[in-house]
Amino acid sequence: MDAAAQYGPNVRGLAVYLSQFQLLPLERITELFADLHLGTVSEGSIVNWVREAAKNLSLTQQALERLVLQSRLAHVDETGGRIEGILHWFHVVSTRALTIYHWHRKRGHEAMNEMGLLPLYTGRLVHDRWKSYDQYRCEHSLCGAHLLRDCLFVAEEEKQPWAQEMYIVLLELSEATKQARACGQKTLDPAIRTRWLAAYFEVIGRGYRAWDEAHPPPEPTAARKRGRPKQDPGKNLLDAFLHRADQVLAFVDDLTVPFTNNLAERDLRMIKVQQKISGTFRSDAGATAFCTIRSYLSTMRKQGHSMLDALAAVFQGSPLPIAWEAGS
């Protein structure tokens, strides 16, 4: 008897849930089914159910992409993963209510362009300082958590006091915006904003003065090397704080913009867990199915649905509808 006829949508949904969400190896899933007296399920049946779920979710994936493109704020990130033992990159584009995963052989803008979302996006992207994101002609917001880590590195490794000062300024600004949101404010108190923005640019000024003192211009007679001189991480970070101040401080002027990119990092965490457990995807098709199913399940979890109900609906031929609000 065909497996699809032998097992109903709840059983098939449970198997896919255990495989693609809880990341249990196929052998352990078959043992669990036997121990729970759910019937004898082969590893091949589970693989087929995963493929079926991914196929049934193809239209849902397209709907997710359309809704993300309409979202005012989105988070992006990427992490390495192996397919057939070869390093690839898994990319996430997510909002508070939506999640989309893709994979590509490359990490940078070529991969992002081929995935097709970011070139069309017109809202605000929250991300780290990975240069590939900068090419997109939308608004940008730099992740404060990454900037804090960069400040600590420069302060500890390069012994630059301004970086420690900037670390404190960013933390204080983050706390001020957090308290403002908790009080229901839509904007930061002007006096608080003015005080801390003045501190922000004063730290930058001290950083540049310290840099100039440590790097005096070369003597006119000194031989100059060809090409642009290489800057150290501290100078690069200082330049980012100055020239990208609007992106660093976006969370100050718009309290709906978060200080960090933690949402995307959380959404990528299970990709890393999958790699620790399995080490590699066995095929391109397996990686694609994983991304499609996880996009749906992550979205459903954000929207308060049961994972098992969501997957049972997939096998009934009607995946749960996606909730979305304009401006989200």
Side-chain angles (χ1 to χ4, degrees):
M1 185 179 295
D2 182 78
Q6 185 177 1
Y7 297 100
N10 290 327
V11 172
R12 283 178 281 165
L14 175 60
V16 173
Y17 167 78
L18 294 172
S19 170
Q20 302 295 291
F21 195 83
Q22 294 298 341
L23 306 177
L24 291 182
L26 297 180
E27 182 180 0
R28 291 183 60 188
I29 297 174
T30 62
E31 292 174 353
L32 178 63
F33 270 60
D35 291 340
L36 295 177
H37 304 290
L38 295 175
T40 302
V41 176
S42 69
E43 294 183 13
S45 293
I46 300 171
V47 171
N48 288 335
W49 294 341
V50 168
R51 292 171 181 165
E52 181 184 355
K55 181 179 179 180
N56 290 351
L57 286 169
S58 59
L59 293 180
T60 299
Q61 185 80 351
Q62 294 174 24
L64 276 171
E65 293 178 356
R66 289 195 300 270
L67 292 177
V68 163
L69 288 176
Q70 297 174 46
S71 297
R72 186 184 64 84
L73 183 70
H75 297 248
V76 288
D77 203 358
E78 75 292 325
T79 189
R82 295 190 176 276
I83 301 175
E84 296 183 287
I86 299 173
L87 179 64
H88 289 68
W89 292 90
F90 289 82
H91 298 252
V92 66
V93 183
S94 61
T95 74
R96 289 178 300 171
L98 310 168
T99 308
I100 295 177
Y101 297 102
H102 286 289
W103 65 267
H104 197 276
R105 181 68 181 85
K106 296 184 178 180
R107 179 187 183 190
H109 61 86
E110 179 181 341
M112 299 171 188
N113 288 343
E114 287 187 18
M115 288 183 286
L117 282 175
L118 299 190
L120 301 176
Y121 185 69
T122 58
R124 179 179 292 275
L125 284 180
V126 184
H127 54 83
D128 57 23
R129 286 196 294 145
W130 175 239
K131 60 183 179 180
S132 292
Y133 295 120
D134 298 338
Q135 70 170 322
Y136 298 108
R137 301 177 67 179
C138 57
E139 294 183 296
H140 296 265
S141 181
L142 295 183
C143 172
H146 281 86
L147 293 171
L148 289 175
R149 289 196 289 269
D150 292 341
C151 284
L152 284 180
F153 174 84
V154 171
E156 294 173 358
E157 298 297 322
E158 299 186 4
K159 311 302 180 186
Q160 297 189 28
W162 72 264
Q164 180 66 42
E165 296 170 2
M166 183 61 80
Y167 180 92
I168 296 172
V169 169
L170 291 176
L171 280 183
E172 292 290 347
L173 275 169
S174 174
E175 182 61 27
T177 57
K178 181 179 178 181
Q179 292 179 7
R181 282 192 294 269
C183 294
Q185 295 175 221
K186 295 183 178 180
T187 58
L188 196 60
D189 180 87
I192 294 175
R193 178 184 181 278
T194 298
R195 182 172 74 249
W196 284 110
L197 290 192
Y200 175 90
F201 287 104
E202 286 172 3
V203 169
I204 293 176
R206 286 195 290 274
Y208 277 112
R209 287 192 293 273
W211 171 264
D212 290 339
E213 292 173 1
H215 301 80
E219 295 295 331
T221 57
R224 296 185 62 182
K225 295 182 179 180
R226 291 185 178 179
R228 186 178 179 180
K230 184 178 180 180
Q231 293 188 157
D232 57 35
K235 183 58 163 51
N236 288 332
L237 182 60
L238 193 60
D239 287 345
F241 280 125
L242 177 62
H243 301 302
R244 306 181 70 171
D246 59 326
Q247 299 175 9
V248 175
L249 300 171
F251 73 99
V252 176
D253 291 322
D254 182 351
L255 295 185
T256 65
V257 176
F259 177 63
T260 73
N261 195 32
N262 286 348
L263 176 62
E265 292 183 358
R266 287 197 303 270
D267 285 337
L268 274 181
R269 195 165 296 150
M270 293 311 295
I271 299 287
K272 298 178 181 179
V273 173
Q274 189 280 337
Q275 292 290 297
K276 290 181 180 179
I277 294 174
S278 301
T280 186
F281 286 97
R282 296 181 180 178
S283 66
D284 291 357
T288 299
F290 182 85
C291 288
T292 300
I293 294 170
R294 290 292 309 205
S295 297
Y296 173 69
L297 290 180
S298 176
T299 298
M300 291 298 105
R301 167 153 285 190
K302 288 178 178 179
Q303 299 186 7
H305 293 289
S306 160
M307 301 292 93
L308 294 179
D309 290 346
L311 281 169
V314 171
F315 286 104
Q316 290 167 347
S318 300
L320 296 183
I322 305 165
W324 185 83
E325 294 183 2
S328 64

